Amino acid sequence: MANSLRKSIAVLGLSLMFSMGPWLQGISLAQTAPVKDSKAAKSSSAKTATTAPSDSEIADAKAKGMVWVNTSSKIYHKEGKFYGKTKRGKFMSEDDAKKAGYRPAEKE
């Protein structure tokens, strides 16, 4: 009796392991971060900000006539309190912003 119980538990354990294995493997693969190309990450004129740009970067972008694109709201700013200040954004030309589907901000 004890021997057949052990065999049943072993078979049940193996069945669970084989049936859950692919699912568990999928979870571990989904948690792996993709490798980024270092050259693409260093592009300053079109980078998505993870930290706010410095005052000198903002002044430089204004001098070049660039707009600040809020990548979350899909709105771009030419000036004002949100220019270079939103959490997710990047500088680009106004023409490029329009071509990418961004719309201008309303008057602030």
Side-chain angles (χ1 to χ4, degrees), residues 32-89:
T32 304
V35 178
K36 293 184 178 181
D37 182 17
S38 62
K39 289 181 183 177
K42 292 183 181 179
S43 174
S44 62
S45 64
K47 74 175 184 179
T48 299
T50 54
T51 59
S54 67
D55 290 337
S56 63
E57 289 173 317
I58 293 172
D60 185 44
K62 277 185 183 180
K64 292 179 181 176
M66 300 184 89
V67 297
W68 175 256
V69 175
N70 181 332
T71 56
S72 295
S73 67
K74 306 292 185 195
I75 294 175
Y76 66 87
H77 304 271
K78 294 182 186 182
E79 57 186 15
K81 66 181 179 180
F82 296 113
Y83 187 89
K85 302 297 182 186
T86 59
K87 287 183 180 181
R88 292 186 186 99

